[in-house]
Amino acid sequence: METADARLIDAQGLDAVIAVLGELGYDTRGPVVRDGAVMPGTVTGVVDLPVGYHDEQAPGHYQLEYRGDNTVFAWAVGPGSWKAELFPPTQELWRATRDGGDLTFSEPDADYRPLALIGARPCELAALDVLDRVLRDGGTPDPHYRARRDGAFIVVAECGVPAATCFCTSMGTGPGADVGFDLALTELDDGAGHRFVVRVGSERGAEVLAGVSSLPASPANLEGRRQVLAAAADATTRQLSVDGLGALLARNLDHPRWDEAAQRCLACGNCTLVCPTCFCSDVRDTTTLTGEIRRQRSWASCFDLDHSYLHGGPVRATTSSRYRQWLTHKLSTWWDQFGTSGCVGCGRCIAWCPVGIDLTEEAAAIRSTDGAVRPGAAPGRVSS
Amino acid sequence: MSNHNELPTLAVWKFASCDGCQLSLLDCEDELLTLAGVVRISHFTEMSRATTAGPYDVSLVEGSITTPADVHRIQEVREASRRLITIGACATAGGIQGLRNFAASGAYAATVYAHPEYIASLDTSTPISAHVDVDFELHGCPIDRHQLLEVITASLSGRRPVIPGHSVCQECKARGTVCLLVSQKTACLGPVTRTGCGALCPAVGRGCFGCFGPADTANTSSLAATLRHQGTPAIELSHLFRTFNACAPAFLEESVSQGGPVPVTRGRPPTPTSGEEGR
Ligand code: SF4
Ligand code: SF4
Ligand code: SF4
Ligand code: SF4
């Protein structure tokens, strides 16, 4: 996105942006501090955002610290993602009532109050793009996702302070954002004060910004933005080597590393549910005592035994085969299916794995021993 | 509504237990009348003294087997039941009274009762499935009433109950609870525990106690290694795994690995206690 038309606002200006969105009827959602983490919540002004909070993240570790400074976006993503706003954990699809032999069906309206996502990070924008390909732009669009997504107004907050779990630079998804937003903020907190460079990404973004008092961003402000992003990129030390990664994993389905990961893996499913792109869901029909039938969709995980349950039993009975499913889907077969990576490098699955399993480390281990085969694996036949 | 006498029959049986699980049925206040309209409750002594002879279409069995008399009674219940569903940690895993399996229960009886010679009990508390075939096991201490209604409804309509076997963690994530284990280093059994409670405890800042027993896949040794690394001593871990589902195999093995006593009957079949002999 061009930076020529960029504007400059201060914290009051950001308050005004949020207020304008509220007046326009948006349900203004953004990062808030709840229960010791940055989580999605309702935001009606800057005061609701994580002002003065900083995070420390590592495999299996997350800690929030309040330092009381005036920074608003000096933290990296928490466990909640915008996936939950657009693709909620449970969704009723339809219900039917019986009257004698007749069934009467009804569907819930896909008529949602438009969302404004304030302070989404660049990797989260990339995740929405990945989800769009699956849930909106593919052969069978999900009407509820589409309704929520198409109306959503997005204010992205570029990253200045990545966590040790972030690897967006490897995935090309951050720390800056080029497309996919209505407004983009870059927080500057230097000798000249605390402001935000604002770039406009859409017509409605321009309309919202026009309702707020702002200044043109100076060349020095733009240089400030460039430096913030460069420093953030330098501070992103975790790496995932994506060169030929899909093919690498595809030819190592019998690598001993899967069993090693399975020794530690709890098959708890946390990684898949915190992942902003995992879209698996389970559709179940239930009946009530009065004979009403309900079809409900709920989040599911490939770490569930049920996920691969076919007639007679689960296809992926071992944790090893389920860990392999997760990693190969994210980094390899997603490309075949949707033409992108299934991973955007947000690092959530690393921080929120209770035992700290790190997919970048797993992928690197396989790369360093490409072609190794676990004992007893039958050539040409993938074991489960 | 069809003739009451043609409705499927439901029976509720109690073995060694606290009655909490059967009370979950009475707790279904909103649905109870509806339930009474679609089944004939033929035997449920918490609700009514009036009982009807079997056979029963669906039997809900609460409690574990702890006495010689119950070893026989469960056979009768099985014979009288088309579908036998066990409810709760006692019936599915031996319950908290399964702790007797780790000590000589005769010593407990002598401490607790003035006249232990009147006590006729077994050395062990065992789940119903150790004695008879069980058609479905509903876990929890206590069970969740919504799950109970789902199991009853599914049984009546001949479909598979929608009861997941995955971890409590997934419920935490679905309800937006921030993980206590990762963010607070709280000892939490959620990753190895079957969901069903709605992830209640983590939502109020307490680590999961494992009330619903081991999940479908329960890598207890990996979780225990992490919790120990985070500072929970082995003996506390052993206690954590040894509560309501102490004798569920995955939890039992882990509690032993963390230094808890081994079951006294390991390697020998259950035998009657001195109380039994003294009768
Ligand atoms: S796989 Fe992990 S790092 Fe990649 S997008 Fe998902 S949660 Fe983020
Ligand atoms: S990684 Fe697993 S849970 Fe995620 S989308 Fe793929 S199959 Fe589904
Ligand atoms: S990789 Fe970690 S978060 Fe994912 S299922 Fe295994 S233990 Fe759970
Ligand atoms: S709090 Fe416990 S149950 Fe919840 S996600 Fe964390 S480890 Fe799992």
Side-chain angles (χ1 to χ4, degrees):
Chain A
M1 189 56 49
E2 286 301 320
T3 48
D5 309 326
R7 310 286 300 177
L8 196 73
I9 59 173
D10 58 10
Q12 283 82 42
L14 181 52
D15 257 337
V17 167
I18 299 169
V20 169
L21 288 167
E23 283 157 20
L24 289 171
Y26 286 100
D27 182 7
T28 48
R29 304 278 292 167
V32 302
V33 173
R34 166 162 74 75
D35 300 332
V38 173
M39 291 293 284
T42 294
V43 167
T44 56
V46 171
V47 66
D48 295 325
L49 295 167
V51 180
Y53 279 92
H54 303 268
D55 58 345
E56 180 189 88
Q57 302 196 41
H61 174 78
Y62 179 98
Q63 183 124 41
L64 208 55
E65 189 200 337
Y66 181 64
R67 285 191 214 141
D69 53 62
N70 58 7
T71 53
V72 181
F73 296 114
W75 41 266
V77 291
S81 77
W82 304 113
K83 172 172 84 173
E85 308 283 319
L86 302 169
F87 185 68
T90 55
Q91 168 85 52
E92 180 174 306
L93 299 179
W94 52 254
R95 62 175 64 195
T97 47
R98 235 188 296 237
D99 183 13
D102 290 337
L103 283 174
T104 312
F105 289 86
S106 62
E107 278 180 66
D109 290 339
D111 189 11
Y112 301 103
R113 183 170 167 207
L115 283 167
L117 306 182
I118 296 153
R121 308 320 301 240
C123 64
E124 303 191 284
L125 274 193
L128 292 183
D129 183 59
V130 173
L131 272 188
D132 288 348
R133 291 169 188 245
V134 179
L135 297 171
R136 186 185 67 180
D137 305 337
T140 44
D142 175 79
H144 299 282
Y145 178 86
R146 183 167 57 193
R148 291 183 172 105
R149 172 71 167 114
D150 285 348
F153 187 101
I154 295 178
V155 182
V156 71
E158 293 187 306
C159 283
V161 189
T165 41
C166 294
F167 57 103
C168 60
T169 47
S170 297
M171 310 313 285
T173 56
D178 292 326
V179 287
F181 54 80
D182 295 290
L183 292 175
L185 307 173
T186 319
E187 186 167 24
L188 303 181
D189 191 18
D190 49 29
H194 178 230
R195 300 87 77 230
F196 302 90
V197 173
V198 192
R199 290 170 305 133
V200 171
S202 70
E203 259 173 49
R204 53 182 191 172
E207 285 162 20
V208 167
L209 192 59
V212 170
S213 92
S214 67
L215 297 170
S218 68
N221 300 146
L222 296 179
E223 174 55 19
R225 168 179 178 257
R226 204 196 55 73
Q227 284 176 8
V228 163
L229 296 181
D234 283 348
T236 306
T237 48
R238 188 172 299 274
Q239 305 279 319
L240 175 64
S241 167
V242 294
D243 183 31
L245 181 58
L248 171 82
L249 295 178
R251 68 174 174 266
N252 279 288
L253 298 179
D254 268 322
H255 198 283
R257 187 76 186 188
W258 305 118
D259 290 347
E260 288 160 32
Q263 293 282 312
R264 297 171 63 206
C265 176
L266 308 168
C268 61
N270 276 304
C271 47
T272 52
L273 300 193
V274 293
C275 179
T277 68
C278 272
F279 56 84
C280 275
S281 63
D282 197 4
V283 174
R284 301 275 195 156
D285 295 343
T286 53
T287 49
T288 66
L289 286 168
T290 50
E292 196 178 51
I293 304 161
R294 284 182 199 160
R295 174 163 290 183
Q296 184 165 287
R297 181 184 68 198
S298 46
W299 284 358
S301 165
C302 55
F303 284 95
D304 288 3
L305 264 189
D306 272 0
H307 189 270
S308 68
Y309 190 95
L310 295 180
H311 179 74
V315 174
R316 292 186 284 269
T318 62
T319 300
S320 173
S321 62
R322 282 178 264 159
Y323 187 83
R324 182 182 62 195
Q325 162 64 24
W326 141 260
L327 202 74
T328 54
H329 194 206
K330 298 269 80 166
L331 302 176
S332 177
T333 52
W334 207 292
W335 282 101
D336 308 330
Q337 243 184 319
F338 304 111
T340 61
S341 165
C343 172
V344 297
C346 72
R348 283 185 179 88
C349 59
I350 304 172
W352 297 96
C353 171
V355 294
I357 296 176
D358 169 358
L359 84 170
T360 64
E361 188 187 326
E362 297 309 305
I366 290 174
R367 190 182 287 281
S368 68
T369 49
D370 186 5
V373 172
R374 69 175 137 197
R381 195 172 169 278
V382 175
S383 46
S384 61
Chain B
M1 196 51 65
S2 31
N3 181 336
H4 191 69
N5 288 327
E6 289 169 6
L7 292 176
T9 50
L10 178 74
V12 183
W13 306 96
K14 174 187 164 64
F15 288 80
S17 59
C18 78
D19 284 30
C21 289
Q22 349 177 5
L23 285 175
S24 308
L25 189 56
L26 291 178
D27 259 353
C28 300
E29 289 161 3
D30 294 341
E31 299 86 358
L32 206 53
L33 284 178
T34 316
L35 181 66
V38 295
V39 294
R40 188 148 53 99
I41 300 179
S42 301
H43 179 96
F44 184 15
T45 49
E46 273 281 5
M47 188 179 87
S48 165
R49 266 181 301 175
T51 68
T52 325
Y56 309 98
D57 290 299
V58 177
S59 274
L60 302 176
V61 177
E62 176 196 86
S64 66
I65 303 298
T66 57
T67 67
D70 280 351
V71 170
H72 300 294
R73 189 162 62 97
I74 188 59
Q75 300 292 340
E76 291 165 16
V77 170
R78 174 69 269 188
E79 270 162 37
S81 310
R82 216 155 268 147
R83 203 169 150 73
L84 188 156
I85 297 165
T86 50
I87 57 171
C90 301
T92 57
I96 192 119
Q97 62 274 28
L99 290 173
R100 73 164 63 176
N101 301 6
F102 303 103
S105 61
Y108 287 147
T111 311
V112 173
Y113 298 103
H115 290 283
E117 64 273 20
Y118 294 132
I119 304 297
S121 70
L122 300 172
D123 262 353
T124 55
S125 169
T126 43
I128 301 299
S129 61
H131 301 268
V132 295
D133 284 342
V134 170
D135 297 298
F136 192 84
E137 292 191 310
L138 185 63
H139 300 268
C141 185
I143 53 168
D144 174 84
R145 64 192 169 97
H146 300 291
Q147 287 202 330
L148 177 63
L149 275 178
E150 166 59 12
V151 170
I152 295 173
T153 311
S155 298
L156 296 176
S157 51
R159 62 176 174 82
R160 192 179 164 205
V162 177
I163 303 288
H166 57 234
S167 69
V168 173
C169 298
Q170 295 200 26
E171 205 68 30
C172 263
K173 290 294 174 285
R175 63 185 285 171
T177 301
V178 175
C179 177
L180 301 168
L181 197 161
V182 167
S183 69
Q184 317 281 329
K185 306 292 173 247
T186 304
C188 180
L189 291 188
V192 296
T193 300
R194 178 182 296 275
T195 188
C197 58
L200 279 179
C201 290
V204 295
R206 296 295 302 260
C208 168
F209 294 98
C211 308
F212 279 60
D216 277 346
T217 304
N219 188 348
T220 53
S221 59
S222 173
L223 178 66
T226 292
L227 295 180
R228 283 189 68 169
H229 183 72
Q230 293 187 352
T232 309
I235 186 66
E236 275 180 34
L237 276 180
S238 174
H239 291 160
L240 197 54
F241 281 106
R242 202 164 274 193
T243 56
F244 323 103
N245 289 281
C247 296
F251 285 6
L252 187 150
E253 291 311 323
E254 195 54 48
S255 65
V256 170
S257 299
Q258 298 303 323
V262 295
V264 288
T265 53
R266 187 159 273 187
R268 66 181 168 90
T271 52
T273 61
S274 51
E276 162 80 348
E277 285 152 14
R279 227 172 17 161

